[in-house]
Amino acid sequence: MGNFEDSRSVVRRTRLARSASRPLVTPLEPSVVYTTESPDELDAIYEGRVPGHTYAREGHPNADVLAAKIDWLEGAEDGLLTGSGMAALSAILMGVLIEGDHVIGGNQLYGRSMRMLRQELPRMGFGVSLADPTDPQSIADAIRPETRMIVVETVSNPTLRVADIPAIAEIAAREEVLLVVDNTFTTPRAFRPFEHGADILFHSVTKLLAGHSDATLGYVAARDPELRGEIRDTATTWGFTPSPYDCWLAERGLHSFALRYDRAQENAAELAEFLDSLDGVKEVIYPGLMRHPDHARANRLFAGMFGNIVSFRVPGGREVANRLVRAAGNIAFAPTLGDVATTLSHPASSSHRGLRPAERDALGMTEGFFRISVGIEDIELLKAEFEAAIGAALSTEAPAQESSGQD
Ligand SMILES: *Cc1c(COP(=O)(O)O)cnc(C)c1O
């Protein structure tokens, strides 16, 4: 075996002793590189004749373990982990698009996805149009001969509009265009895009799947094996690699995913009703509420699973918003979603800060507009905290005119 097992050097690695027992917990394997017995053995690995890893950018055990679990949840095969949700989208775009291609994106995508479509793709010479995914006709109207893919989210942030994915899938199939679905908000617990005609799906695993705000990861799956291979190869070449540590943490998070999702959703439904009953709250948005414009579609597509995100609006400008956040001091004010604990975010100062006040107002995102990512806490605690925070925000000032502040 030569130097590899030379016990006279503390510098060289020592093999773990053979053991009749195995660790219960998936080992964390941070190794960047893998040793093999011989060039013949390495050939066998590269040619896929025997299983094995070579170099961590090309794949590693912690990513494999996590991918297999998300595959199972999504009814997908051979999914790929990436270093972030944005890396997952990048792998899809860079792996599939060729010069001259045109992409149709949903008109209310996640902020960075929107930036990818509006700034990065045109910079590289790709054509991009935006269309309304709740209105399949607007997608059909945007199709051009060179359209290669449609990118939509199941539920838009933070206005929680529900895309008509089955109708868009029909258009995509007819026009021979790929349908790419970002399933971050709904998760496979509520919606499995491949069962509704999507060709490619992706996730920000960072959010609900990992669930503890301590791992940044993405996931991609494609139905067509050839496309899958191209996306994987592109991700390896561009270096969209996930960290073993993050995969290991996310696997641990995933163990409780179904329990967390169900509890958070139950809380969200009850909190939505409660906010609706409070004096001073002007609007509550939750797909589970009967009056939500897409309630019927959400009911049909998500089988009664309306998710853990609730948005609401109180009257007033930035002062009221500041007071509400300060008065809700035990609820983290943080621009993310899907944590075990409830987090509160304010689109006007975070995800939608790039818009002019009038544009935000047109979308209903006034200074008093908030999004809650509901966690798994005791619901009575959440109700009491929100009641107190909203009361404190509105009490010292008579409900002012709706305003987006001065800037
Ligand atoms: C957060 C998020 C992303 C981006 O994921 P990262 O892991 O932050 O890169 C994409 N889409 C949606 C819907 C998200 O919420």
Side-chain angles (χ1 to χ4, degrees):
M1 279 284 127
N3 294 337
F4 186 60
E5 292 191 287
D6 190 339
S7 58
R8 290 167 304 179
S9 169
V10 291
V11 175
R12 292 184 182 145
R13 267 57 166 204
T14 307
R15 280 190 200 187
L16 296 177
R18 276 187 190 283
S19 170
S21 59
R22 286 185 299 167
L24 171 66
V25 174
T26 306
L28 169 60
E29 305 214 34
S31 192
V32 165
V33 74
Y34 293 79
T35 69
T36 40
E37 301 287 338
S38 65
D40 277 352
E41 185 79 4
L42 192 56
D43 270 348
I45 291 173
Y46 271 121
E47 287 160 19
R49 283 182 280 120
V50 298
H53 292 284
T54 55
Y55 187 68
R57 181 164 32 69
E58 315 253 339
H60 52 72
N62 291 108
D64 292 351
V65 168
L66 181 60
K69 293 194 175 186
I70 304 177
D71 288 349
W72 184 77
L73 288 172
E74 281 290 7
E77 259 179 71
D78 206 15
L80 173 73
L81 263 298
T82 56
S84 67
M86 288 314 298
L89 176 59
S90 302
I92 295 165
L93 297 171
M94 295 302 102
V96 173
L97 297 180
I98 53 172
E99 193 181 352
D101 279 349
H102 171 251
V103 176
I104 298 172
N107 59 1
Q108 286 193 43
L109 294 176
Y110 175 73
R112 282 285 158 189
S113 303
M114 191 61 104
R115 203 180 158 91
M116 174 74 82
L117 263 59
R118 292 220 292 211
Q119 257 128 41
E120 299 296 305
L121 292 189
R123 191 166 63 75
M124 291 184 277
F126 299 111
V128 173
S129 306
L130 300 178
D132 177 1
T134 66
D135 171 17
Q137 191 56 44
S138 96
I139 301 271
D141 291 345
I143 300 243
R144 298 185 198 164
E146 66 275 20
T147 303
R148 179 91 167 106
M149 88 175 44
I150 301 168
V151 181
V152 294
E153 287 170 14
T154 47
V155 174
S156 71
N157 171 39
T159 52
L160 311 182
R161 296 300 307 265
V162 179
D164 191 349
I165 293 193
I168 298 171
E170 249 183 68
I171 295 166
R174 189 176 69 225
E175 304 285 342
E176 296 183 29
V177 167
L178 294 169
L179 175 58
V180 178
V181 173
D182 178 342
N183 200 28
T184 301
F185 259 59
T186 23
T187 81
R189 191 96 184 120
F191 185 75
R192 305 213 299 175
F194 285 172
E195 291 173 2
H196 299 270
D199 299 292
I200 300 175
L201 70 87
F202 73 102
H203 278 278
S204 170
V205 176
T206 315
K207 310 289 170 51
L208 285 143
L209 292 179
H212 295 70
S213 302
D214 52 12
T216 302
L217 290 171
Y219 165 91
V220 185
R223 269 206 305 209
D224 173 37
E226 201 175 315
L227 215 52
R228 204 186 284 160
E230 280 161 15
I231 293 169
R232 182 176 292 274
D233 233 21
T234 296
T236 302
T237 304
W238 286 66
F240 297 144
T241 315
S243 131
Y245 183 58
D246 284 42
C247 292
W248 183 80
L249 278 173
E251 186 207 348
R252 189 161 101 153
L254 203 60
H255 291 149
S256 61
F257 161 65
L259 294 173
R260 283 187 285 105
Y261 185 89
D262 290 0
R263 169 64 176 258
Q265 170 179 258
E266 228 172 82
N267 279 353
E270 196 167 335
L271 188 62
E273 298 276 0
F274 179 72
L275 292 174
D276 212 22
S277 74
L278 289 182
D279 278 348
V281 173
K282 287 293 172 214
E283 187 185 10
V284 177
I285 304 177
Y286 185 64
L289 294 175
M290 295 284 282
R291 63 159 186 277
H292 185 283
D294 304 321
H295 175 71
R297 179 180 301 144
N299 212 10
R300 197 167 67 241
L301 293 182
F302 309 153
M305 305 279 234
F306 300 110
N308 77 313
I309 311 291
V310 178
S311 296
F312 71 96
R313 194 155 51 83
V314 292
R318 177 57 66 93
E319 269 314 301
V320 168
N322 282 336
R323 273 207 301 276
L324 194 152
V325 170
R326 288 192 183 113
N330 289 324
I331 296 168
F333 176 58
T336 189
L337 64 103
D339 189 61
V340 272
T342 299
T343 55
L344 184 62
S345 71
H346 182 243
S349 62
S350 58
S351 56
H352 293 70
R353 63 176 300 116
L355 299 184
R356 284 192 300 276
E359 291 176 300
R360 286 201 296 265
D361 285 357
L363 293 170
M365 263 165 260
T366 55
E367 282 289 343
F369 187 87
F370 286 91
R371 185 195 73 188
I372 312 167
S373 168
V374 182
I376 66 172
E377 298 97 321
D378 183 337
I379 183 63
E380 296 309 325
L381 173 68
L382 287 175
K383 285 186 194 170
E385 286 176 330
F386 275 101
E387 183 169 20
I390 291 167
L394 298 177
S395 68
T396 53
E397 190 178 89
Q401 258 199 314
E402 300 262 320
S403 136
S404 282
Q406 40 286 13
D407 53 339

